[in-house]
Structure formats: C-alpha cells, structure tokens
Amino acid sequence: MKTYGIVGKNISYSLSPCMHNAAFKMLGMDAEYKIFDIPENKLDDFFSRLRKGEISGCNVTIPYKEKALDYIDKPDNMVKAVGALNTVVNKNGVLEGHNTDFEGFINALTGSAEGDLNFEPGGRSVFVFGAGGAAKTVVFSLLKWSPKAVKKIAITDIDINKAKRLANFVEKQDHSTLITVVGDREQYNDFISKSDLLVNATPCGMKADDPPLFDYRYIHERLFVFDLVYARNTPLVKETRLRGAKAINGLNMLLDQAAEAFECYWVESAEHHDKILTAMKKALIENIKLIGL
Ligand code: NAP
C-alpha cells in the first residue's frame, strides 16, 4: 500500500484526508492518506522518508509551506515565483514541488461550474483583505493569470507592515501591475467602489461572531466577491448576494487544489478529473457537517 499525507503543525482538523481517501477509494487504489502533525525538528526525518519512497507524496500546510523548499529538488514555476509550495511528489527519487493553491484559486475564480465565480481578471482592479500565506497565492495567481494580468491590486491587513512586505515582495518581481497598500479603514469605501473583485484572504467570517471586515453598505452591484473561508457562507458572501452582486466561498478552491495535488501524485488520474472532484466534494461536505465547522 502506498502512503500519502499532509504535513504541518496543529493540523488535526485537516479535511485533506477525507478528500484524498475518497478519491483513492473511488479509483480502487491501494493507497492511504494520513495526517503528519509534526514539530519542525522532525521535518528532516519526514522528508528523508519521502526521499526513500516510504511516503510517496504529500501536501504541505501551515507553517511549513516555505520551509519545505529546503527539501525539494525541482520547484515548478509558481513555487519559484511565490516562494511557497503545498505539494511534494517523489518522482523516481527526485522531489518535485508544486503549488496547486494557485490552480485552485484561479479555477474557482474564472470557472463557470456551480460554486465558481466566472470572473475574468485581465485588466481589472482587485482589493485583497489579508496579507498572509493565502493572500500571497491570490496576488501571484492574479499577476500570473494568462493571457492578461490584473491592472491594479490593493492590499490591506490588520498588520499594515505585513501588507507592505507583501507589496514590496510583489513589486520586486512585477512592474506592470499597480500595487497599493490601504492602511486606513476610512479609505475602504473609496477602494471598494473602484474595485471589480474583492477577495477575503483573512479568517474573518469563520466564526459567527467575527466583526465584519468592512461596512457591507460599500458593496456595489458590479462587485465580485471571493471569500476564501470554505466551511460556510460567511456574512460577507450572504450580504453581497443580498445586494445583487456575485459571491462565492472557498469550497471550490479547496476542492480544486486537492484534485490538482492528486493529479501530481498520480498523473494518469487526470482523465478521471471530474469523477475525482465529485468524490472529493461528497466527502468534504459530509466531513464539514461531521466536525461542525
Ligand atoms: P494567515 O497566514 O493567518 O493570514 C491571514 C491574515 O489576515 C493575517 O495577516 C491576519 O492578521 C489578517 N487578518 C485577520 N483578520 C483581519 C481583518 N479583520 N482585517 C484585515 N486583516 C486581517 O492565514 P492564511 O493561511 O493566509 O488563511 C487565510 C484564510 O484563507 C483562512 O480562513 C483559511 O482557512 C483560508 N484559506 C482557504 C483556502 C481554500 O482552499 N479555500 C486555502 C488557503 C487558506 P493577524 O495574523 O494579525 O491575525
């Protein structure tokens, strides 16, 4: 039996095993997907097991998405740009690093399936709340989107220095997109009114009593909203829809990054993409209910 898994710290809540194990089962594969919840001093050991083939592939999550770069031989282009990965595969002794969060975000943003936003980013203006790991993926996905990148990105975070660091990191690599840091809540209305897309890349909305990110009266009908929180339709998603604008949660992104990672593990499975997504979605929804997120 082949072993796969997700490596991170304090990740007992992870929904990745339910999705991947459902896909293995549906395809009749002799494989299992486990949680490797380990401290940093056990990472050497974990990746040496991966290199020896005891573990065939893994997803990487908080807080090791950047640290894992030290262990791989071949990063893909997105990993090189973002400086973070979420999937490692052992291909004949070579450890390949991938970033499928990128595809997960772009597919849900631009796709037209149920739960996708059907938004075309080229030449548009975007306001991103949050400047952590997920925001970094969002910003780079928007910049690297082909055929045409977004025109403007505004970033804000509770910790404004974090937003500034992300903006500086992006500006070093990209010169065609205007990056602005929004440090003052008073400016939110102005920026939202000029935005085509608003992305929530903060955990705000995960808990029922979270205060709103901004005054929902600023939402206008042309605005598309992508809330990365996947466990529920947050008040942001609901309020946007109530105002006649389009909004999605992070469920399709989560599913898509998992399906893309699965196809990195087992390239031949790409021909079963739709069946894999369906099996993963069913398992994910059942488990979200089960753990009562
Ligand atoms: P993170 O690294 O902790 O980054 C979140 C950032 O948002 C932090 O800098 C945080 O500041 C800031 N923040 C929190 N509340 C804020 C507010 N009200 N206004 C402005 N900034 C605020 O977390 P992450 O890994 O990027 O994840 C962010 C969210 O995306 C989580 O809900 C996660 O579940 C979701 N996510 C979804 C997917 C998916 O596939 N759908 C993938 C990745 C992440 P502090 O650190 O000071 O609190």
Side-chain angles (χ1 to χ4, degrees), residues 44-60:
D44 285 357
D45 180 51
F46 175 82
F47 280 100
S48 93
R49 288 179 66 197
L50 195 66
R51 196 171 279 287
K52 281 190 253 166
E54 285 174 34
I55 299 165
S56 302
C58 70
N59 284 117
V60 181

Side-chain angles (χ1 to χ4, degrees), residues 62 65 101 129-136 156-159 162 185 188 200-204 206 211-213 226-230 249-255 257:
I62 294 170
K65 285 188 176 189
D101 286 335
F129 280 78
K136 206 171 177 186
T156 191
D157 193 285
I158 281 184
D159 179 350
K162 227 165 158 177
R185 290 181 72 94
Y188 284 179
N200 175 26
T202 80
C204 180
M206 281 177 85
L213 277 176
F226 192 146
D227 193 331
L228 264 55
V229 172
Y230 50 77
N249 62 32
L251 199 73
N252 279 18
M253 175 179 172
L254 183 73
L255 279 166
Q257 64 75 28

Side-chain angles (χ1 to χ4, degrees), residues 189-255:
N189 190 12
D190 189 31
F191 273 88
I192 293 171
S193 70
K194 290 179 192 147
S195 296
D196 305 295
L197 170 69
L198 187 148
V199 181
N200 175 26
T202 80
C204 180
M206 281 177 85
K207 291 193 246 102
D209 57 353
D210 282 340
L213 277 176
F214 60 88
D215 188 336
Y216 296 134
R217 286 176 302 179
Y218 300 163
I219 296 169
H220 54 83
E221 276 187 17
R222 295 182 286 107
L223 191 68
F224 286 71
V225 170
F226 192 146
D227 193 331
L228 264 55
V229 172
Y230 50 77
R232 60 165 56 89
N233 279 336
T234 59
L236 171 60
V237 168
K238 290 180 187 163
E239 291 285 340
T240 304
R241 290 177 181 169
L242 276 176
R243 285 166 168 76
K246 192 160 183 196
I248 60 166
N249 62 32
L251 199 73
N252 279 18
M253 175 179 172
L254 183 73
L255 279 166

Side-chain angles (χ1 to χ4, degrees), residues 88-256:
V88 182
V89 195
N90 183 342
K91 287 273 163 73
N92 304 319
V94 176
L95 296 192
E96 291 180 358
H98 302 274
N99 190 319
T100 70
D101 286 335
F102 156 72
E103 282 135 320
F105 175 72
I106 284 295
N107 290 348
L109 178 73
T110 61
S112 52
E114 193 190 346
D116 291 340
L117 200 54
N118 203 1
F119 177 83
E120 181 159 328
R124 315 287 280 276
S125 296
V126 185
F127 193 1
V128 181
F129 280 78
K136 206 171 177 186
T137 299
V138 165
V139 168
F140 274 95
S141 303
L142 293 167
L143 295 174
K144 302 281 171 196
W145 191 73
S146 175
K148 200 171 156 210
V150 289
K151 191 168 147 203
K152 291 181 190 167
I153 299 179
I155 309 171
T156 191
D157 193 285
I158 281 184
D159 179 350
I160 205 60
N161 288 323
K162 227 165 158 177
K164 284 181 186 162
R165 280 199 296 277
L166 177 55
N168 287 339
F169 184 72
V170 174
E171 274 166 350
K172 275 188 202 143
Q173 301 188 37
D174 186 274
H175 301 285
S176 58
T177 301
L178 181 68
I179 312 284
T180 312
V181 172
V182 184
D184 183 354
R185 290 181 72 94
E186 299 294 312
Q187 294 177 289
Y188 284 179
N189 190 12
D190 189 31
F191 273 88
I192 293 171
S193 70
K194 290 179 192 147
S195 296
D196 305 295
L197 170 69
L198 187 148
V199 181
N200 175 26
T202 80
C204 180
M206 281 177 85
K207 291 193 246 102
D209 57 353
D210 282 340
L213 277 176
F214 60 88
D215 188 336
Y216 296 134
R217 286 176 302 179
Y218 300 163
I219 296 169
H220 54 83
E221 276 187 17
R222 295 182 286 107
L223 191 68
F224 286 71
V225 170
F226 192 146
D227 193 331
L228 264 55
V229 172
Y230 50 77
R232 60 165 56 89
N233 279 336
T234 59
L236 171 60
V237 168
K238 290 180 187 163
E239 291 285 340
T240 304
R241 290 177 181 169
L242 276 176
R243 285 166 168 76
K246 192 160 183 196
I248 60 166
N249 62 32
L251 199 73
N252 279 18
M253 175 179 172
L254 183 73
L255 279 166
D256 246 81

